[in-house]
Amino acid sequence: NELKGLDLQTGFFTYRQIKAATNNFNAANKLGEGGFGSVYKGILSDGTVIAVKQLSSKSRQGSREFVNEIGMISGLQHPNLVRLYGCCIEEKQLLLVYEYMENNSLASALFGPTNGWLKLDWLARQKICVGIAKGLAFLHEESTLKIVHRDIKCTNVLLDRDLNPKISDFGLAKLDEEENTHISTRIAGTIGYMAPEYALWGHLTYKADVYSFGVVALEIIAGKNNMKYRPNQNFVCLLDWAIVLQQKGDLMELVDPELGSDLSKEEALRMIQVALLCTNPSPVLRPVMTAVVNMLEGRILIDE
Ligand code: ACK
């Protein structure tokens, strides 16, 4: 009780606090399995609802990412980044404590097994797309550290009660140190979202995030997973299909049929065109994220 109100300010939580908050890591409080361990829902003594990430094994990789995540986002606050309240490093435990996001991940909303319970209409999808772009623009251009997230994908975007999107999982994030050119020794990310220059040559700049964002934007409008999408008999991913449709002048065919009457054709085309600009094979031809925000919001017109 003496810690009441203190915990959110110090950034350090005691193991006892987290055990109490999660009802001793009760299975009923488990939200799911993440990249490096289980995630639990909890309530702090002051009523704040939290999500606790527990590092499962003592794998080097996991703990390196864990420490990286603390370093990267502990100081960052933006409406489109999941807030890290703090951590617990007691009794061999490694726990990260985040704000709780009521509506889980964008991946589960768009193409998860629970698909259907949470309807993302056109307005919601637009808001989500713009929000992710704003979060990235902040990381790349406005935060004092220039940060490349490196693993932008729908599972790493969480939705709050009002369907505001927030970027999570900074385990792979890196500083964009060398004037946005960086050769990475260890390539990490997710197939289907990785920019070609990074996947092939380890050439990492913030433009790699722009590419991943483009894939996410395409998934948002199509309601389909890039790598799992196979139109007709051909084995092509959603992005390849979009390029084919662009050449045929038939981009509207990409739009999720579930998006009904509230869809504006002009806005839908705009989102697809932005997605295609972002996924340009050449990083220098991809826009920066503030330009993407302006394009999505119709302040910059896009040439066809
Ligand atoms: O798609 P989900 O339900 O949303 O499944 C994953 C799972 O935990 C493993 O990562 C969920 N999750 C992660 N962080 C949070 C959070 N801050 N608030 C709510 N759910 C979260 C995620």
Side-chain angles (χ1 to χ4, degrees):
N1 239 359
E2 69 276 16
L3 289 167
K4 199 175 163 184
L6 249 184
D7 33 25
L8 287 188
Q9 283 155 41
T10 58
F12 285 99
F13 294 85
T14 64
Y15 191 48
R16 227 177 75 214
Q17 274 177 306
I18 303 300
K19 270 205 304 201
T22 58
N23 201 0
N24 215 352
F25 297 96
N26 195 303
N29 283 9
K30 195 160 163 174
L31 294 168
E33 292 289 337
F36 52 69
S38 310
V39 184
Y40 293 86
K41 180 179 179 177
I43 303 179
L44 296 175
S45 56
D46 66 357
T48 309
V49 188
I50 55 170
V52 181
K53 256 196 208 177
Q54 186 177 41
L55 182 68
S56 55
S57 68
K58 289 183 194 81
S59 78
R60 266 244 190 104
Q61 182 54 36
S63 50
R64 200 191 298 140
E65 286 178 20
F66 182 95
V67 171
N68 187 46
E69 174 130 12
I70 298 176
M72 282 294 169
I73 61 160
S74 56
L76 292 185
Q77 281 187 43
H78 183 273
N80 298 110
L81 303 182
V82 172
R83 174 86 193 276
L84 178 69
Y85 288 142
C87 61
C88 169
I89 39 175
E90 238 179 68
E91 303 183 31
K92 294 190 184 150
Q93 290 288 331
L94 288 177
L95 306 169
L96 289 173
V97 180
Y98 299 90
E99 67 176 312
Y100 176 67
M101 299 287 284
E102 281 84 354
N103 279 306
N104 308 317
S105 77
L106 176 58
S108 62
L110 280 179
F111 25 74
T114 50
N115 192 4
W117 64 270
L118 181 65
K119 280 263 176 280
L120 295 180
D121 64 12
W122 176 235
L123 279 181
R125 292 196 208 193
Q126 270 188 311
K127 180 168 92 170
I128 288 167
C129 197
V130 172
I132 302 167
K134 286 182 175 167
L136 278 176
F138 175 79
L139 281 182
H140 294 170
E141 299 159 50
E142 293 157 50
S143 65
T144 43
L145 314 157
K146 306 274 177 245
I147 293 172
V148 187
H149 183 284
R150 276 216 293 179
D151 203 14
I152 293 296
K153 54 180 173 180
C154 291
T155 38
N156 285 343
V157 174
L158 302 177
L159 303 172
D160 75 5
R161 191 190 305 128
D162 306 316
L163 299 179
N164 289 311
K166 301 196 188 200
I167 298 168
S168 77
D169 252 299
F170 287 72
L172 294 180
K174 279 200 164 208
L175 296 185
D176 199 341
E177 297 155 332
E178 301 162 35
E179 241 11 283
N180 71 43
T181 50
H182 187 83
I183 303 296
S184 180
T185 42
R186 194 176 60 90
I187 298 168
T190 304
I191 304 278
Y193 295 91
M194 282 162 101
E197 76 282 0
Y198 176 57
L200 295 170
W201 306 301
H203 182 219
L204 180 72
T205 70
Y206 65 92
K207 290 292 181 74
D209 282 350
V210 178
Y211 182 96
S212 311
F213 168 82
V215 176
V216 168
L218 216 49
E219 292 180 327
I220 290 174
I221 192 145
K224 293 184 183 71
N225 196 314
N226 184 34
M227 295 304 279
K228 292 192 182 137
Y229 187 53
R230 275 159 235 181
N232 47 54
Q233 311 291 45
N234 304 323
F235 183 87
V236 284
C237 62
L238 182 63
L239 179 55
D240 291 339
W241 183 231
I243 292 164
V244 171
L245 288 177
Q246 187 180 38
Q247 284 154 1
K248 290 206 299 184
D250 201 7
L251 281 176
M252 284 304 283
E253 210 183 297
L254 277 172
V255 177
D256 190 342
E258 299 236 332
L259 290 169
S261 53
D262 59 338
L263 179 95
S264 136
K265 190 179 166 197
E266 186 197 341
E267 288 167 350
L269 279 176
R270 193 192 293 154
M271 195 192 283
I272 301 172
Q273 275 155 353
V274 171
L276 289 172
L277 284 179
C278 291
T279 49
N280 192 302
S282 169
V284 292
L285 295 179
R286 290 171 212 149
V288 299
M289 288 311 298
T290 40
V292 169
V293 172
N294 285 330
M295 285 185 232
L296 289 172
E297 293 188 328
R299 282 190 295 271
I300 296 182
L301 296 180
I302 306 159
D303 292 338
E304 301 215 8

